[in-house]
C-alpha cells in the first residue's frame, strides 16, 4: 500500500491502494472502471497519479509539467507534413526549434522566453523582476512529410519545465476582426466559509476563456461548420488569434460554442469561445 508503479504500456504512474497488490494490471482496472457495460467493476486497487515525466509533454494537461535540469530536448518524427508547433506552461530562458529533412537543416528559430515590454527606463531595467513568457507558437514550418522536428527548452544553470507540446496542420478559419480576440480568467479555486466566519481556501489551477471574432466568407460557412464539428466533445486544439504570446491571443483548449452573425452579403462575423485546458 502506497507503493508507486509505472505502466510501460500507457506511461502512467499509479499508486497502490492496497497491501499485497500483485498481479493486478492498473491499466486494465482503469479500462474496467470506465466501461459502462460492467455493472460491478473490481474494487479500486490503484490511484492514477499522472503521466511519467517524459510523457507529461503530451498528456493533454498543461498544468502537469515535465521538469529537467538545464534543458529539455525532444525530437519528433510525425510522418506527415505539419505547419505549426506550440508550447504551453513553459519555464525556460529560451526555446529553440529546428527541422531537418534527410539530415539537412531546413528550418531554425530561437525564441527568447522573456517579456521585456515592462522595461521602459533605467529604473525598470534595474529593478523590475524578470517576467517570463509561458507559451509560444510557430506557424511557418515547411511542409515536409518526413522531416524531424527538434524542440529544445534551455536554461543554463537552472531548471526547465514544459507543460505541453503540440504540433500539427493549420486550419485557417478567417480574418481576425479589429480587436477580434478577448479573454477572461477562469479560476477553479474556491473559498469556503463556516458558521463562525472562518475561511478555508483551496487553491487550484486557473485557465483562460478566449473569445475570437473572425470575418468568414459566407461561401465557406458550411464547410467551416463541418470542420469545427469534428472538434466537438472537448477535442483539444491550439487556437491562434495572434502569434505574439504577449497579447494572450492564443489558447490550448476546446471550443464551448460558436455562432455567426451575418453582416453583409459576402461576409459573416463568426465568434468562437474556447476554454483553455488545465
Amino acid at each position: 500500500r502506497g507503493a508507486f508503479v509505472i505502466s510501460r504500456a500507457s506511461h502512467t504512474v499509479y499508486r497502490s491502494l492496497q497491501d499485497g497488490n500483485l498481479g493486478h494490471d492498473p491499466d486494465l482496472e482503469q479500462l474496467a472502471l470506465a466501461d459502462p457495460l460492467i455493472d460491478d467493476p473490481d474494487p479500486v486497487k490503484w490511484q492514477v497519479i499522472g503521466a511519467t515525466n517524459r510523457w507529461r509533454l503530451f498528456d493533454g494537461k498543461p498544468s502537469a509539467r515535465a521538469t529537467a535540469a538545464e534543458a529539455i530536448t525532444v525530437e519528433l518524427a510525425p510522418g506527415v507534413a505539419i505547419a505549426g508547433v506550440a508550447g504551453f506552461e513553459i519555464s525556460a530562458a529560451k526555446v529553440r526549434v529546428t527541422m531537418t529533412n534527410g539530415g539537412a537543416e531546413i528550418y531554425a528559430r530561437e525564441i527568447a522566453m522573456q517579456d521585456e515590454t515592462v522595461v521602459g527606463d533605467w529604473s525598470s531595467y534595474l529593478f523590475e523582476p524578470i517576467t517570463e513568457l509561458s507559451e509560444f507558437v510557430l506557424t511557418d514550418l515547411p511542409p515536409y512529410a518526413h522531416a524531424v522536428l527538434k524542440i529544445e527548452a534551455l536554461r543554463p544553470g537552472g531548471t526547465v519545465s514544459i507543460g505541453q507540446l503540440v504540433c500539427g496542420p493549420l486550419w485557417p478559419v478567417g480574418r481576425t476582426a479589429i480587436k477580434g480576440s478577448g479573454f477572461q480568467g477562469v479560476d477553479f479555486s474556491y473559498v469556503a466559509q463556516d458558521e463562525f466566519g472562518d475561511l478555508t481556501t483551496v487553491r487550484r489551477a486557473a485557465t483562460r476563456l478566449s473569445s475570437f471574432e473572425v470575418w468568414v466568407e459566407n461561401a465557406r460557412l458550411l464547410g467551416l461548420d463541418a470542420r469545427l464539428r469534428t472538434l466537438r466533445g472537448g477535442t483539444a486544439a491550439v487556437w491562434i488569434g495572434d502569434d505574439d504570446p504577449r497579447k494572450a491571443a492564443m489558447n490550448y483548449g476546446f471550443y464551448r460554442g460558436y455562432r455567426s452573425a451575418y453582416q453583409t452579403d459576402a461576409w459573416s462575423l463568426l465568434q468562437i469561445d474556447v476554454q483553455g485546458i488545465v
Side-chain angles (χ1 to χ4, degrees):
R1 186 172 185 271
F4 291 90
V5 300
I6 292 176
S7 166
R8 294 182 177 178
S10 64
H11 309 284
T12 303
V13 180
Y14 294 93
R15 181 166 58 185
S16 175
L17 298 177
Q18 298 180 4
D19 288 324
N21 195 2
L22 304 176
H24 305 133
D25 188 330
D27 289 338
L28 293 181
E29 181 183 77
Q30 291 304 306
L31 288 174
L33 292 173
D35 189 347
L37 298 180
I38 298 179
D39 296 329
D40 188 18
D42 292 336
V44 175
K45 298 180 175 66
W46 300 100
Q47 176 190 10
V48 177
I49 301 300
T52 60
N53 191 57
R54 182 180 182 185
W55 286 85
R56 286 176 191 165
L57 300 167
F58 312 104
D59 66 350
K61 300 176 181 178
S63 60
R65 297 185 179 189
T67 60
E70 295 196 342
I72 292 178
T73 302
V74 179
E75 288 192 5
L76 304 173
V80 295
I82 62 172
V85 60
F88 296 89
E89 295 297 332
I90 296 174
S91 179
K94 59 184 176 181
V95 172
R96 184 182 300 139
V97 177
T98 55
M99 181 179 279
T100 57
N101 186 63
E105 185 177 285
I106 56 175
Y107 182 89
R109 286 281 300 274
E110 187 169 285
I111 307 163
M113 300 299 292
Q114 293 183 4
D115 183 5
E116 298 179 351
T117 57
V118 296
V119 179
D121 51 32
W122 280 107
S123 176
S124 57
Y125 177 82
L126 293 171
F127 300 109
E128 281 289 337
I130 295 176
T131 303
E132 289 191 340
L133 300 175
S134 62
E135 53 197 50
F136 77 92
V137 63
L138 299 173
T139 58
D140 58 347
L141 275 61
Y144 285 75
H146 302 290
V148 175
L149 181 67
K150 184 177 182 181
I151 305 166
E152 301 170 274
L154 308 169
R155 190 196 303 279
T159 301
V160 178
S161 63
I162 300 178
Q164 197 71 189
L165 292 177
V166 188
C167 64
L170 294 177
W171 288 0
V173 175
R175 177 168 52 87
T176 306
I178 298 175
K179 299 181 180 179
S181 64
F183 70 93
Q184 66 185 72
V186 179
D187 186 4
F188 296 100
S189 305
Y190 69 88
V191 179
Q193 183 174 347
D194 62 18
E195 63 270 24
F196 301 103
D198 296 326
L199 301 180
T200 300
T201 302
V202 178
R203 186 180 177 89
R204 293 180 175 172
T207 186
R208 289 199 299 263
L209 178 62
S210 301
S211 179
F212 300 98
E213 290 187 352
V214 292
W215 288 106
V216 182
E217 294 178 274
N218 289 342
R220 296 182 57 237
L221 284 177
L222 182 61
L224 182 59
D225 174 64
R227 175 165 284 186
L228 288 174
R229 281 190 280 115
T230 65
L231 298 176
R232 65 187 182 276
T235 302
V238 179
W239 304 80
I240 308 166
D242 195 297
D243 56 8
D244 185 347
R246 296 171 298 179
K247 297 181 180 179
M250 61 182 179
N251 207 342
Y252 173 69
F254 60 94
Y255 76 77
R256 297 177 57 174
Y258 57 92
R259 51 198 167 275
S260 173
Y262 288 85
Q263 299 294 323
T264 68
D265 291 337
W267 294 84
S268 293
L269 186 64
L270 188 70
Q271 182 172 334
I272 307 173
D273 295 326
V274 175
Q275 179 170 320
I277 296 176
V278 297

